[in-house]
């Protein structure tokens, strides 16, 4: 029987897009998508669908503390990789998903994890929903519990694509994206968890991301959608 850790994976902690950020992203970047029911569900859907079924660890009710979301990061970003220099939305989203699903509490503090994730985000604050991204990180108490168990995770991305509703909306009005250049991308993959005494497990993952890719600029992460749209 597979052992279970007292903690859980980072992607269990999605807090959803905040109302102000969601409005800004929709209004300025992909306003035309509001006319299409599938994308309306993507941008306004409630609940957290980042956690796939059959998870390897139980999900406690902790969440990112308000102070944790705004605290000053410690030096360095531990095991969090630097964002790649990629100018193609799907490729960047796949790299971002792998970053989100990977962590190592053995050599990375919670502040370092937050600092590393911030580096992947767009610097255009009008479009950056920091809460949806940084909310993936457990609160300090739970991170400490994970570190006590040497919990770490690796990820394998299998594919990334534009959801059908996004492609349809873009085809109907290609100019709608030319203000903020934010693309909606869904990524699928698998996360492998490990902890002390040979504990571990693997689970399927899926996430829908908002990625900003302005012409002649590298892409950046804008937000994580509150639900997955295929």
């Amino acid at each position: 029987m597979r052992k279970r850790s007292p903690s859980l994976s980072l992607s269990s902690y999605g807090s959803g897009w905040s109302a102000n950020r969601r409005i800004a992203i929709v209004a300025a970047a992909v306003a035309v998508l509001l006319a299409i029911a599938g994308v309306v569900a993507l941008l306004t859907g409630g609940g957290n669908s980042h956690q796939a079924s059959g998870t390897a660890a139980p999900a406690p009710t902790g969440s990112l503390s308000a102070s944790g979301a705004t605290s000053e990061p410690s030096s360095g970003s531990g095991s969090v990789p630097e964002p790649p220099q990629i100018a193609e939305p799907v490729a960047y989203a796949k790299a971002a998903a792998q970053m989100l699903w990977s962590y190592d509490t053995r050599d990375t503090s919670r502040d370092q994890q937050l600092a590393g994730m911030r580096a992947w985000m767009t610097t255009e604050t009008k479009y950056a929903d920091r809460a949806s991204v940084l909310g993936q990180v457990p609160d300090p108490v739970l991170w400490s519990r994970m570190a006590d168990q040497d919990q770490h995770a690796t990820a394998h991305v299998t594919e990334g694509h534009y959801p059908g509703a996004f492609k349809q909306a873009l085809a109907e009005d290609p100019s709608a994206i030319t203000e903020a250049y934010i693309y909606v991308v869904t990524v699928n993959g698998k996360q492998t968890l490990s902890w002390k005494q040979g504990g571990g497990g693997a689970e399927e993952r899926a996430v829908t991301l908002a990625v900003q890719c302005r012409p002649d600029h590298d892409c950046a992460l804008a937000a994580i959608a509150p639900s997955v749209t295929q």
Side-chain angles (χ1 to χ4, degrees), residues 1 62 160:
M1 181 179 294

Side-chain angles (χ1 to χ4, degrees), residues 85-89 124 180-181 183 212-220:
Q85 294 180 324
I86 295 176
E88 197 282 316
E124 297 184 40
Y181 286 95
Y183 299 81
Q212 184 180 49
C213 298
R214 290 195 179 278
D216 302 319
H217 288 78
D218 294 330
C219 295

Side-chain angles (χ1 to χ4, degrees), residues 49-65:
S49 300
H50 303 308
Q51 182 78 3
S53 59
T55 57
T61 58
S63 60
L64 183 70
S65 65

Side-chain angles (χ1 to χ4, degrees), residues 8 46 64 72 84 108 136 151 155 160 165 177-178 188 199 204 214 219 229:
L8 74 164
L64 183 70
E72 289 298 320
T108 305
Q136 304 298 301
Q151 186 162 326
I177 204 166
T178 58
N188 291 281
E204 300 297 322
R214 290 195 179 278
C219 295
T229 294

Side-chain angles (χ1 to χ4, degrees), residues 11-155:
S11 53
S12 303
Y13 287 85
S15 60
W17 286 352
S18 65
N20 289 340
R21 297 301 184 196
R22 184 167 61 241
I23 291 170
I25 291 171
V26 174
V30 287
V32 69
L33 302 186
L34 289 174
I36 298 178
V39 180
V40 171
L42 164 66
L43 297 177
T44 63
N48 173 23
S49 300
H50 303 308
Q51 182 78 3
S53 59
T55 57
T61 58
S63 60
L64 183 70
S65 65
S67 60
T70 58
S71 60
E72 289 298 320
S74 59
S75 59
S77 56
S79 62
V80 183
E82 294 183 358
Q85 294 180 324
I86 295 176
E88 197 282 316
V90 173
Y92 190 88
K94 290 168 67 175
Q98 185 163 11
M99 178 274 295
L100 291 168
W101 296 334
S102 305
Y103 61 91
D104 195 337
T105 65
R106 298 171 299 178
D107 60 11
T108 305
S109 70
R110 180 175 178 274
D111 282 348
Q112 287 176 319
Q113 187 75 28
L114 290 168
M117 293 167 71
R118 287 187 187 98
W120 286 69
M121 296 200 68
T122 176
T123 57
E124 297 184 40
T125 57
K126 181 177 181 180
Y127 306 118
D129 185 359
R130 290 162 60 93
S132 69
V133 176
L134 302 184
Q136 304 298 301
V137 180
D139 65 37
V141 173
L142 290 177
W143 185 270
S144 178
R145 287 174 56 195
M146 292 166 67
D148 289 343
Q149 295 297 318
D150 291 342
Q151 186 162 326
H152 53 285
T154 57

